[in-house]
Amino acid sequence: KAGVTQTPRYLIKTRGQQVTLSCSPISGHRSVSWYQQTPGQGLQFLFEYFSETQRNKGNFPGRFSGRQFSNSRSEMNVSTLELGDSALYLCASSLDSPHYEQYFGPGTRLTVT
Amino acid sequence: TQLLEQSPQFLSIQEGENLTVYCNSSSVFSSLQWYRQEPGEGPVLLVTVVTGGEVKKLKRLTFQFGDARKDSSLHITAAQPGDTGLYLCAGARDDYKLSFGAGTTVTVRA
């Protein structure tokens, strides 16, 4: 089975712009979660989508949004970028199991200048 | 404040030595997972422990879940340079959320 894929792998944006990141989960996985990873804050949960519905949300401002399509692919959007949004954005897919094991993609490295 | 506290934050050892990483919380989890992340990659799931007191072995890695399901440890025997990476613990609760620890950066010198 192919793993989780994320595009693009690297992105440089200017403060105030918006950005869209894409994630394709493992075939058969209907849950997709997004995380932000920074050296100072570690791995922070953004949100989770299951069957096209947002099932869980972390403590991030409304500038961070996402959606999931009927084929389980997901996108994450960040509007009005700030310098502090520079981070590695990780997507993870999961079977709908009680242990909720995450299978991560390689991430998108976003740099905001 | 992290729900899961990992210690130590950094660990640097010589090849062949043993090491232990701890993951502690005041919350009870239905299961606990360990991941390893290498530079430029996403975390990779190593193991899931579910039952209090459970011990799982993966070659030179031994994982233990505390009796009360609030803490866990990862022990590596005879560490090798290939064990270098960021080790993350994550606790699962009934609300389909995973809480991650801040991670332990392990460096094994040849």
Side-chain angles (χ1 to χ4, degrees):
Chain A
K1 261 188 190 177
V4 176
T5 58
Q6 291 187 246
T7 56
R9 290 292 309 274
Y10 303 92
L11 207 47
I12 299 175
K13 289 286 188 179
T14 303
R15 194 169 45 182
Q17 288 186 314
Q18 75 161 17
V19 67
T20 299
L21 311 181
S22 183
C23 171
S24 292
I26 291 172
S27 178
H29 287 193
R30 292 194 293 164
S31 167
V32 174
S33 297
W34 288 89
Y35 297 85
Q36 181 195 66
Q37 188 175 35
T38 58
Q41 298 297 317
L43 204 60
Q44 301 289 317
F45 172 75
L46 281 156
F47 31 67
E48 182 233 358
Y49 286 86
F50 180 79
S51 291
E52 302 179 66
T53 301
Q54 188 180 84
R55 185 161 65 175
N56 270 307
K57 189 176 187 306
N59 298 320
F60 278 80
R63 300 185 297 108
F64 292 82
S65 63
R67 58 178 176 167
Q68 186 180 33
F69 303 95
S70 58
N71 61 359
S72 293
R73 193 176 67 85
S74 177
E75 286 181 348
M76 189 193 104
N77 185 275
V78 189
S79 63
T80 320
L81 284 165
E82 300 177 359
L83 295 179
D85 296 333
S86 293
L88 181 67
Y89 289 88
L90 291 160
C91 166
S93 71
S94 174
L95 288 168
D96 196 25
S97 80
H99 308 311
Y100 203 43
E101 287 111 337
Q102 303 283 277
Y103 294 86
F104 286 88
T108 294
R109 171 73 62 187
L110 172 65
T111 302
V112 182
T113 62
Chain B
T1 306
Q2 299 274 161
L3 198 58
L4 281 163
E5 298 291 334
Q6 281 189 244
S7 63
Q9 190 176 355
F10 299 97
L11 201 50
S12 180
I13 60 170
Q14 203 69 34
E15 182 177 2
E17 294 182 335
N18 302 331
L19 69 96
T20 302
V21 177
Y22 299 94
C23 178
N24 295 298
S25 177
S26 56
S27 298
V28 176
F29 296 100
S30 57
S31 66
L32 201 134
Q33 299 154 27
W34 286 92
Y35 295 80
R36 179 171 67 210
Q37 184 177 21
E38 298 184 20
E41 299 296 329
V44 174
L45 177 67
L46 296 174
V47 79
T48 300
V49 284
V50 178
T51 307
E54 182 177 2
V55 176
K56 274 192 175 177
K57 291 194 174 184
L58 193 68
K59 296 183 181 178
R60 296 175 292 100
L61 278 62
T62 302
F63 305 85
Q64 186 161 7
F65 201 11
D67 291 340
R69 306 207 322 272
K70 294 181 179 181
D71 52 79
S72 181
S73 64
L74 156 62
H75 182 80
I76 301 180
T77 304
Q80 298 176 0
D83 296 324
T84 292
L86 175 68
Y87 287 83
L88 296 157
C89 66
R93 293 174 296 176
D94 296 338
D95 56 0
Y96 291 99
K97 274 187 185 175
L98 268 188
S99 297
F100 280 84
T104 296
T105 299
V106 171
T107 303
V108 183
R109 305 184 305 274

